[in-house]
């Protein structure tokens, strides 16, 4: 009888996070202060982050203990199941074995609560009363709302305008957990008012929403800022995914040749892929592939340079693959992948050839997601459809070459709040966007002079 799912008990949740920093092949360039362009100090960062998270940003320790109250919350849905997608394999007629980690089973529907819970915990411990954040697809805003509710912190979410109207129920979900959610750009911040004055019809972007959330946090004593991706500590918290997957793949008596995840800021991809980096370094032939939208091709078409994390230039500068901080990507339905930059850790590993990157247009991704839904029953988020598109390509390549590859991917979130996108796809109203070359060139011309 074929086995479909490989499950671990609550006792088998990893007790530590895996830190990739000691395993990097080259030193990670430090963040720079946006004013002086000198390396940012802890005091600079303490305006918006608690000390414990700043320490996790730079630590060289390999394994970092997960505090008991965080583990206690993770137990509500972790360990997540590892599935073998046998019906999907059959639908594709591939000799490849396809496995996936289902992060869509968390209360908010994605991998995002893995870090939201940890971040809310450390902020609470530091006496913070209120957290602000941005959200693209609404998955991160929901996750932080859930986490703030658990730890009794107020939560304010700036949601990218085009997603706010594409997914009204995400806002309601955040309100169920007691948070406040407004469309960004808003007139609540200077950053938002400036963008609205220049372009009242703007679809918004993660870069703009980050500017608003950071400004809100930096101008209030009781408030910190929380980021759902990109930063080292966020990726660190996501490594429970890959650590569990390694144990579960052993149960399945398999070992991945290819590990795949979609990439917005890089956190779900890193969460699954980073724990495999030591195996790759030890000589195992394993490919780690990050997948991004053709409309926002940060790794495949961007450059590796110091850039701001937000539109207004308020955040520290990070050395990363970037399309330029004032690039506003087209309003594709994978709102969580509309970010101009990539996490510095993923960018460095990409630069060093340890991580590969590919990009696909959205129609092809929806097509792949539907093949998957009709075979496995699970309807995924548009972000996740990018990972599945890459799985299809690799599985069909294995078929052509007659090779029995083992593919592992991250099902980063379910698509139950994304029906409007699927509806548009069925109505033939979704289109692919050309690679926005001229806009990217213009944005890259405005990079800060720190590289
Ligand atoms: C379901 C889902 N997958 C992927 C992403 C991309 O983010 P990241 O690259 O940080 O995993 C998002 C972001 O909102 C998301 O909601």
């Amino acid at each position: 009888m074929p086995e479909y799912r490989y499950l671990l008990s609550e006792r088998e949740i990893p007790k530590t996070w895996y830190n990739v920093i000691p395993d990097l092949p080259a030193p990670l360039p430090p963040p720079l202060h946006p004013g002086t362009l000198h390396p940012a100090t802890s005091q600079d960062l303490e305006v918006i982050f608690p000390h414990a998270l700043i320490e996790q940003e730079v630590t060289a320790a390999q394994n970092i203990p997960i505090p008991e109250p965080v583990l206690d919350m993770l137990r509500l849905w972790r360990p997540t199941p590892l599935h073998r997608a046998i019906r999907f394999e059959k639908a594709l007629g591939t000799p490849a074995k396809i496995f996936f980690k289902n992060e869509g089973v968390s209360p908010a529907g994605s991998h995002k609560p893995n870090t939201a819970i940890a971040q809310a915990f450390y902020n609470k411990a530091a006496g913070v009363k209120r957290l602000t954040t941005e959200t693209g697809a609404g998955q991160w805003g929901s996750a932080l709302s859930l986490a703030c509710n658990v730890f009794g912190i107020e939560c304010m979410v700036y949601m990218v305008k085009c997603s706010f109207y594409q997914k009204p129920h995400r806002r309601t979900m955040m309100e169920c957990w007691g948070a406040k959610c407004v469309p960004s750009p808003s007139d609540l911040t200077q950053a938002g008012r400036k963008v609205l004055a220049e372009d009242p019809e703007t679809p918004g972007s993660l870069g703009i929403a980050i500017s608003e959330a950071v400004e809100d946090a930096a101008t209030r004593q009781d408030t910190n800022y929380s980021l759902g991706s990109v930063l080292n500590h966020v990726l660190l918290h996501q490594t429970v995914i890959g650590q569990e997957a390694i144990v579960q793949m052993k149960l399945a008596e398999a070992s991945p040749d290819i590990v795949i995840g979609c990439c917005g800021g890089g956190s779900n991809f890193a969460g699954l892929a980073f724990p495999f980096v030591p195996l790759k370094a030890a000589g195992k032939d394993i490919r780690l592939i990050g997948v991004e939208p053709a409309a926002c091709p940060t790794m495949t078409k961007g450059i590796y340079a110091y850039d701001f994390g937000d539109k207004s230039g308020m955040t520290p500068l990070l050395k990363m693959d970037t399309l330029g901080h004032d690039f506003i990507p087209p309003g594709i339905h994978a709102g969580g992948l509309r970010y101009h930059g990539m996490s510095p850790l993923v960018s460095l590993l990409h630069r060093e050839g340890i991580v590969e990157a590919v990009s696909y247009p959205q129609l092809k991704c929806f097509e792949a997601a539907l093949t998957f839904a009709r075979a496995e029953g699970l309807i995924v988020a548009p972000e996740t459809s990018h990972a599945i598109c890459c799985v299809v390509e690799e599985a069909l390549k294995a078929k052509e070459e007659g090779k029995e590859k083992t593919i592992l991917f991250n099902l980063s979130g379910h698509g139950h709040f994304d029906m409007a996108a699927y509806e548009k796809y069925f109505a033939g109203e979704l289109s692919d966007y050309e690679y926005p070359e001229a806009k990217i060139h213009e944005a890259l011309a405005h990079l800060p002079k720190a590289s």
Side-chain angles (χ1 to χ4, degrees), residues 312-343:
S312 324
M314 295 174 72
T315 68
L317 283 79
L318 302 173
K319 185 103 184 231
M320 60 184 176
D321 286 337
T322 180
L323 296 168
H325 60 279
D326 49 14
F327 171 63
I328 299 184
I332 54 165
H333 274 270
L337 306 185
R338 291 178 68 245
Y339 185 59
H340 67 272
M342 182 52 57
S343 120

Side-chain angles (χ1 to χ4, degrees), residues 260-283:
I260 295 171
C262 65
C263 281
S267 75
N268 87 87
F269 166 69
L272 180 64
F274 280 6
F276 289 94
V277 166
L279 299 176
K280 189 171 166 77

Side-chain angles (χ1 to χ4, degrees), residues 110-112 137 139 228-229 262-269 336-337 381 383-384 412-413:
S110 77
H111 62 297
K112 298 282 182 182
Q139 293 268 22
S229 189
C262 65
C263 281
S267 75
N268 87 87
F269 166 69
L337 306 185
E383 289 79 10
T384 311
S412 56

Side-chain angles (χ1 to χ4, degrees), residues 19 43 63 89 149 177 183 250-251 281 287 327 381 385 389 412:
N19 181 15
Q43 287 96 311
N63 298 300
E89 292 165 12
N149 179 57
W177 284 312
K250 282 197 185 124
L251 289 180
R287 294 171 62 203
F327 171 63
S385 75
C389 192
S412 56

Side-chain angles (χ1 to χ4, degrees), residues 188-376:
L188 300 175
T189 64
Q190 256 182 28
R193 288 190 291 273
K194 183 158 180 282
V195 179
L196 283 175
E198 283 163 12
D199 179 7
E201 299 308 317
T202 178
S205 71
L206 278 166
I208 297 169
I210 293 174
S211 291
E212 293 205 85
V214 169
E215 181 187 318
D216 182 332
T219 49
R220 277 182 63 155
Q221 275 291 333
D222 63 346
T223 302
N224 263 357
Y225 166 70
S226 175
L227 186 63
S229 189
V230 179
L231 297 178
N232 304 348
H233 67 266
V234 182
L235 275 55
L236 177 79
H237 300 156
Q238 293 294 353
T239 59
V240 287
I241 306 172
Q243 293 184 72
E244 286 174 8
I246 288 175
V247 178
Q248 289 164 308
M249 288 299 287
K250 282 197 185 124
L251 289 180
E253 295 176 359
S255 168
D257 300 300
I258 309 174
V259 176
I260 295 171
C262 65
C263 281
S267 75
N268 87 87
F269 166 69
L272 180 64
F274 280 6
F276 289 94
V277 166
L279 299 176
K280 189 171 166 77
K284 176 158 171 49
D285 188 9
I286 177 167
R287 294 171 62 203
L288 311 175
I289 310 180
V291 191
E292 52 189 19
C296 189
T298 315
M299 287 189 280
T300 45
K301 295 277 170 65
I303 60 172
Y304 185 60
Y306 268 110
D307 197 5
F308 298 109
D310 69 323
K311 155 98 173 129
S312 324
M314 295 174 72
T315 68
L317 283 79
L318 302 173
K319 185 103 184 231
M320 60 184 176
D321 286 337
T322 180
L323 296 168
H325 60 279
D326 49 14
F327 171 63
I328 299 184
I332 54 165
H333 274 270
L337 306 185
R338 291 178 68 245
Y339 185 59
H340 67 272
M342 182 52 57
S343 120
L345 286 170
V346 173
S347 300
L348 180 83
L349 289 167
H350 176 224
R351 182 126 277 253
E352 294 290 326
I354 292 167
V355 160
E356 299 171 43
V358 290
S359 67
Y360 300 111
Q362 67 175 353
L363 288 181
K364 200 172 167 185
C365 296
F366 274 98
E367 200 181 301
L370 284 170
T371 308
F372 182 76
R374 287 167 186 171
E376 294 292 324

